[in-house]
Amino acid sequence: MNPLLLDIPLQIETERLLLRAPRQSGDGTIVNDAIKDSFNELKAWLPFAQTIPTLEETEVNLREAYINFMKRDSLRFLIFHKETNDFIGVTSFEGLNWDIPKSHIGYWINTRFMGNGYMLEAVKGLCELGLNHMNFKRVEIRCESTNLKSRSIPEKLGFELEGILKNEDLSADGSKLTDTCIYAKV
């Protein structure tokens, strides 16, 4: 089936959260503010966070994410608290392979919301969408072996650690080789 014909919801609800696709415009300010708030933590792990993006760069990135969502190239969801409407972070299906079908999940959180189980809840909701609604045969989470907070998400959700690839990637700042953990749920 052509993935453009798949009925993928633009938003998902969990117990405390609302996950929604980026809008055509207007999400840049809240996401840019969260990147600024969390810059020191994000910089250690994410190549996109080596410099603080301008508001314009963030808005362009989100509009591209909206286009990619509509094209089914990647499926990014912005995470909001249902009661307060606070922007919490991002989770997404990346590296989609519709022939299998499979994907890997990426995520980052605004530092001020860490420690509340929000990202665990969001990734669980996204995983359920992929495995139950979209009939993915495989969902992966890949993260740097030393990123223990990121590793705790798949471990708590019952993903299997399939292996650690040695010297598989560069650190976020590109200065050294790193090992990548591959977790999967099938």
Side-chain angles (χ1 to χ4, degrees), residues 105-169:
I105 295 177
Y107 44 88
W108 65 267
I109 190 167
N110 184 331
T111 303
R112 63 185 212 159
F113 295 105
M114 290 174 68
N116 295 297
Y118 293 137
M119 192 54 68
L120 184 69
E121 184 176 329
V123 171
K124 180 181 180 186
L126 194 64
C127 192
E128 288 172 0
L129 173 72
L131 292 170
N132 300 328
H133 178 74
M134 298 167 59
N135 296 316
F136 283 168
K137 303 304 179 209
R138 177 180 180 84
V139 174
E140 291 181 358
I141 294 178
R142 295 172 173 243
C143 53
E144 192 171 315
S145 64
T146 56
N147 189 342
L148 301 181
K149 289 180 182 176
S150 189
R151 288 183 67 173
S152 73
I153 301 287
E155 290 170 356
K156 289 177 181 175
L157 292 175
F159 279 66
E160 179 183 345
L161 175 62
E162 292 186 334
I164 300 175
L165 304 179
K166 304 291 184 183
N167 292 334
E168 192 271 337
D169 201 2

Side-chain angles (χ1 to χ4, degrees), residues 3 8 29 31 38 67 70 76 90 106-107 109 119 130 132 143 147 175:
I8 300 172
T29 300
V31 175
S38 308
I67 292 166
M70 293 298 120
R76 186 181 306 179
V90 172
Y107 44 88
I109 190 167
M119 192 54 68
N132 300 328
C143 53
N147 189 342
S175 69

Side-chain angles (χ1 to χ4, degrees), residues 39-54:
F39 180 70
N40 290 331
E41 291 78 13
L42 298 176
K43 185 177 181 177
W45 308 111
L46 299 171
F48 85 82
Q50 295 310 293
T51 59
I52 296 175
T54 65

Side-chain angles (χ1 to χ4, degrees), residues 16-40:
R16 301 176 293 170
L17 306 173
L18 175 70
L19 286 66
R20 72 159 170 80
R23 296 183 177 140
Q24 289 179 347
S25 65
D27 286 325
T29 300
I30 58 170
V31 175
N32 190 265
D33 287 346
I35 293 169
K36 289 176 188 173
D37 289 347
S38 308
F39 180 70
N40 290 331

